[in-house]
Amino acid sequence: EAGVAQSPRYKIIEKRQSVAFWCNPISGHATLYWYQQILGQGPKLLIQFQNNGVVDDSQLPKDRFSAERLKGVDSTLKIQPAKLEDSAVYLCASSSPRQTDTQYFGPGTRLTVL
Amino acid sequence: DQQVKQNSPSLRVQEGRISILNCDYTNSMFDYFLWYKKYPAEGPTFLISISSIKDKNEDGRFTVFLNKSAKHLSLHIVPSQPGDSAVYFCAASSTNAGKSTFGDGTTLTVKP
């Protein structure tokens, strides 16, 4: 079974630029999550999708961050414009309908904003 | 307000000895707890979990203990191996909420 795929693995941009991250969850996993992990901290949930609907986006900075999961499979997270404090690893995770509490993570995208 | 706390940022243990990683939580609604392990440049991977109806769950060398009255859980690794060296995250969730709140992690180093 293929794991959660993410791309790119690394991205360096200047502040005020925009960036997008892509995630492909495990096949059959209805729930998809985007997390932000700042160095030295645990993952912080940004947004949770159930199929293509948003379940929780209370921690998403909506003035600059957006995410979509149009067909209930792949998802894209965008930051526009980026700030220095957005430098972090962005993790995508998915969970199956039968075991929603256990999440399977992708390798993450390390974003550096200069 | 951090609802899940791992107060020890790091832990160093000799190979063959026991590693004990601790986690405290504040939210009484949490009823499912998980430990994830993370190697550098990889995403966290699920290690072991425990429901609040239990006070212990064991899987090979890994055992998680839950003390609901103290809102405390711990992960025991016996015996510790160099390959166990990683960051360990404690996470907590409410039934069927489908989302977990993570602690900041403990970096375990197992010395040969």
Side-chain angles (χ1 to χ4, degrees):
Chain A
E1 179 181 75
V4 176
Q6 289 188 249
S7 68
R9 292 296 311 275
Y10 304 91
K11 189 74 176 177
I12 300 174
I13 62 173
E14 294 188 350
K15 60 183 179 182
R16 292 188 289 273
Q17 286 187 323
S18 57
V19 64
F21 313 126
W22 173 82
C23 172
N24 183 244
I26 293 173
S27 178
H29 281 196
T31 309
L32 184 147
Y33 314 79
W34 282 103
Y35 287 89
Q36 180 192 60
Q37 186 183 8
I38 293 172
L39 186 65
Q41 299 181 17
K44 184 185 84 172
L45 181 69
L46 292 175
I47 189 167
Q48 176 185 349
F49 291 95
Q50 180 76 19
N51 297 308
N52 61 348
V54 175
V55 174
D56 185 345
D57 64 355
S58 57
Q59 298 298 308
L60 188 73
K62 298 181 187 62
D63 57 334
R64 298 185 300 107
F65 286 64
S66 64
E68 59 183 15
R69 193 184 184 199
L70 292 175
K71 297 183 179 179
V73 181
D74 293 11
S75 177
T76 303
L77 176 70
K78 296 180 181 177
I79 308 175
Q80 181 179 10
K83 292 185 175 181
L84 296 177
E85 58 261 37
D86 298 332
S87 293
V89 175
Y90 290 85
L91 293 162
C92 179
S94 66
S95 62
S96 77
R98 290 182 303 279
Q99 201 173 12
T100 56
D101 292 298
T102 303
Q103 296 172 31
Y104 297 84
F105 286 83
T109 297
R110 179 174 295 279
L111 173 68
T112 302
V113 182
L114 303 175
Chain B
D1 176 32
Q2 196 164 10
Q3 298 185 62
V4 178
K5 292 184 181 179
Q6 295 177 255
N7 292 318
S8 298
S10 62
L11 176 67
R12 294 174 67 87
V13 172
Q14 197 70 35
E15 180 179 7
R17 298 289 185 96
I18 183 171
S19 295
I20 300 177
L21 296 90
N22 294 302
C23 178
D24 297 294
Y25 62 97
T26 58
N27 189 337
S28 301
M29 298 300 293
F30 289 147
D31 57 6
Y32 195 74
F33 305 89
L34 309 96
W35 285 93
Y36 288 84
K37 177 179 178 179
K38 184 183 182 305
Y39 291 119
E42 295 182 12
T45 57
F46 169 74
L47 187 59
I48 192 170
S49 62
I50 188 167
S51 165
S52 60
I53 62 173
K54 296 184 176 181
D55 54 17
K56 177 183 174 181
N57 188 27
E58 195 171 351
D59 183 3
R61 296 186 297 115
F62 302 91
T63 303
V64 56
F65 295 91
L66 176 62
N67 183 332
K68 289 187 291 293
S69 60
K71 294 190 176 68
H72 177 84
L73 64 154
S74 61
L75 174 68
H76 292 211
I77 306 174
V78 183
S80 301
Q81 299 174 354
D84 296 329
S85 297
V87 179
Y88 290 78
F89 290 102
C90 171
S93 68
S94 305
T95 303
N96 297 324
K99 70 172 185 178
S100 294
T101 300
F102 286 79
D104 286 340
T106 296
T107 300
L108 173 65
T109 303
V110 181
K111 301 171 289 183

